[in-house]
């Protein structure tokens, strides 16, 4: 038994499993994952590029969407090397410090995504329920402060989890059950008491995903109530389109996240490959689906994408 703090990064290594039980099919499994890794950065990158280039999209709503796209891209990139390394080159080893860093960044961008979705719900609430004060409430300086607050919130919540990993004691097994380093997976390998790590991990989930997932539906309920009181059918349709896009993004984020965390803690009888596939799909489905949802439901985004990417066609 060895303590993490007394072992150098070169001597302590973890072994990533990919998809346990389906190792012989990794080459075939890599095909859909490669397609997702191509689609996710492309979709998010296009939306981010269009928002930066197109001056008509320099509004608070689209600033928040660019934050969401940034978190999506970073979440996708944080697992790219290890996941494709396993599927293509059977590169399963990862040193301790790299594993901890990957764990931190995956959780950091996850908390940031949750925070941005909450801020977007607030943005929609002000835009629909109090439109006359929208520009005075959501100024550029306040949006910048919100982005800074999201970074601080994410770092403060997650830093104790990462620091406490260094005080666990490692058993003989260093085999992780995913194609990337995941906090609940790492603490399960410990021979020492990991209750504090487990409680802090669950607390981090509650104060982010659980709390945010309470305020977001509350905000959407008030928004829908306001929408129903709008006389103009055209304005109702426009407001509903914005809400549907946001609710879709919330659903595809929170349901897989909460399901994955609870399966890790309470689903010991679930086959290992189910854990792994859920974890892989969770990190890739968000960056793939969010650009589709927002570009499909927001006509202004659609027009801007056509204008920037197909300037000749947009003039016809």
């Amino acid at each position: 038994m060895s303590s993490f703090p007394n072992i150098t990064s070169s001597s302590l290594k973890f072994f990533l499993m990919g998809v346990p039980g389906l190792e012989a099919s990794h080459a075939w499994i890599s095909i859909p994952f490669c397609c997702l890794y191509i689609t996710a950065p492309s979709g998010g990158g296009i939306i981010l590029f269009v928002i930066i280039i197109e001056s008509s999209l320099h509004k608070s709503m689209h600033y928040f969407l660019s934050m969401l796209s940034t978190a999506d891209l970073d979440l996708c990139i944080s697992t790219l090397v290890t996941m494709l390394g396993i599927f293509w080159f059977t590169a399963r080893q990862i040193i301790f410090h790299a594993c901890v860093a990957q764990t931190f960044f995956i959780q950091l961008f996850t908390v940031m995504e949750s925070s941005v979705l909450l801020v977007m719900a607030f943005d929609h609430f002000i835009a629909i329920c109090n439109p006359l004060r929208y520009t005075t409430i959501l100024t550029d300086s306040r949006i910048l402060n919100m982005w800074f607050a999201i970074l601080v919130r994410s770092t403060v919540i997650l830093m104790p989890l990462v620091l406490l990993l260094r005080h666990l004691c490692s058993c003989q097994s260093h085999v992780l059950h995913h194609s990337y380093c995941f906090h609940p997976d790492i603490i399960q390998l410990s021979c020492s008491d990991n209750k504090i790590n487990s409680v802090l991990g669950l607390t981090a989930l509650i104060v982010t995903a659980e709390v945010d997932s309470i305020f977001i539906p509350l905000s959407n309920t008030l928004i829908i109530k306001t929408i129903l009181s709008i006389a103009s059918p055209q304005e109702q349709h426009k407001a509903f389109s914005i809400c549907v896009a946001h609710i879709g993004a919330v659903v595809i984020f929170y349901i897989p996240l909460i399901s994955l965390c609870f399966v890790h803690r309470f689903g010991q009888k679930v086959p290992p490959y189910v854990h792994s596939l859920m974890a892989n799909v969770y990190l890739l489905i968000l960056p793939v689906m969010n650009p589709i949802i927002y570009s499909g439901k927001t006509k202004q985004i659609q027009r801007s994408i056509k204008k920037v990417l197909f300037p000749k066609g947009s003039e016809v």
Side-chain angles (χ1 to χ4, degrees), residues 59-186:
K59 300 175 183 177
S60 60
M61 172 185 173
H62 302 112
Y63 289 149
F64 294 134
L65 182 55
S66 68
M67 293 180 191
L68 189 67
S69 296
T70 301
D72 284 339
L73 288 170
D74 291 334
L75 192 60
C76 181
I77 292 171
S78 63
T79 61
L80 175 65
V81 175
T82 54
M83 193 177 292
L84 295 185
I86 291 171
F87 289 149
W88 285 357
F89 309 109
T90 320
R92 296 177 53 203
Q93 290 189 10
I94 182 171
I95 62 174
F96 168 69
H97 293 296
C99 191
V100 171
Q102 187 180 48
T103 299
F104 173 75
F105 284 114
I106 289 173
Q107 293 186 301
L108 175 70
F109 299 131
T110 299
V111 175
M112 285 174 60
E113 183 117 14
S114 178
S115 302
V116 172
L117 288 172
L118 177 61
V119 171
M120 290 177 76
F122 175 72
D123 172 76
H124 296 157
F125 174 77
I126 299 298
I128 294 173
C129 300
N130 200 352
L132 297 179
R133 297 188 58 198
Y134 182 79
T135 54
T136 58
I137 294 175
L138 291 174
T139 60
D140 289 347
S141 61
R142 284 180 178 169
I143 293 172
L144 187 61
N145 289 336
M146 287 181 182
W147 181 238
F148 179 73
I150 288 173
L151 289 174
V152 172
R153 179 201 190 201
S154 305
T155 304
V156 168
I157 289 173
L158 296 175
M159 192 57 70
L161 298 181
V162 175
L163 294 176
L164 282 172
L165 285 177
R166 299 181 60 84
H167 298 284
L168 292 177
C169 293
S170 173
C171 294
Q172 293 294 326
S173 175
H174 293 152
V175 178
L176 300 174
H177 298 96
H178 295 312
S179 50
Y180 57 85
C181 297
F182 192 49
H183 182 265
D185 203 15
I186 296 174

Side-chain angles (χ1 to χ4, degrees), residues 238-307:
K238 180 180 178 181
F240 267 121
S241 296
I242 295 173
C243 286
V244 167
H246 185 250
I247 291 171
V250 169
V251 168
I252 66 171
F253 174 76
Y254 286 110
I255 290 180
L257 171 63
I258 295 173
S259 301
L260 177 63
C261 290
F262 276 94
V263 163
H264 255 285
R265 285 173 171 81
F266 309 112
Q268 287 80 6
K269 295 183 180 180
V270 178
Y273 67 84
V274 174
H275 290 236
S276 183
L277 289 175
M278 284 181 64
N280 290 336
V281 169
Y282 153 68
L283 288 182
L284 288 174
I285 199 67
L286 288 167
V288 170
M289 291 303 298
N290 279 341
I292 296 173
I293 290 172
Y294 281 100
S295 62
K297 287 293 181 181
T298 309
K299 290 184 177 180
Q300 193 173 7
I301 294 289
Q302 293 178 18
R303 289 195 298 266
S304 297
I305 290 175
K306 291 178 181 179
K307 180 180 177 181

Side-chain angles (χ1 to χ4, degrees), residues 171-223:
C171 294
Q172 293 294 326
S173 175
H174 293 152
V175 178
L176 300 174
H177 298 96
H178 295 312
S179 50
Y180 57 85
C181 297
F182 192 49
H183 182 265
D185 203 15
I186 296 174
I187 64 176
Q188 286 176 2
L189 298 181
S190 171
C191 291
S192 58
D193 188 2
N194 62 8
K195 289 182 180 178
I196 296 178
N197 300 74
S198 183
V199 169
L200 278 178
L202 190 59
T203 302
L205 176 66
I206 291 173
V207 300
T208 54
E210 294 289 345
V211 172
D212 293 353
S213 64
I214 291 173
F215 284 105
I216 291 174
L218 176 62
S219 174
N220 284 322
T221 300
L222 296 174
I223 289 171

Side-chain angles (χ1 to χ4, degrees), residues 42-55 57-58 66 69 73 304-305 308-309:
S42 300
I46 288 172
I47 287 186
L48 194 58
F49 175 74
V50 167
I51 291 175
I52 293 172
I53 294 298
E54 186 58 36
S55 58
L57 298 180
H58 293 176
S66 68
S69 296
L73 288 170
S304 297
I305 290 175
V308 172
L309 300 183

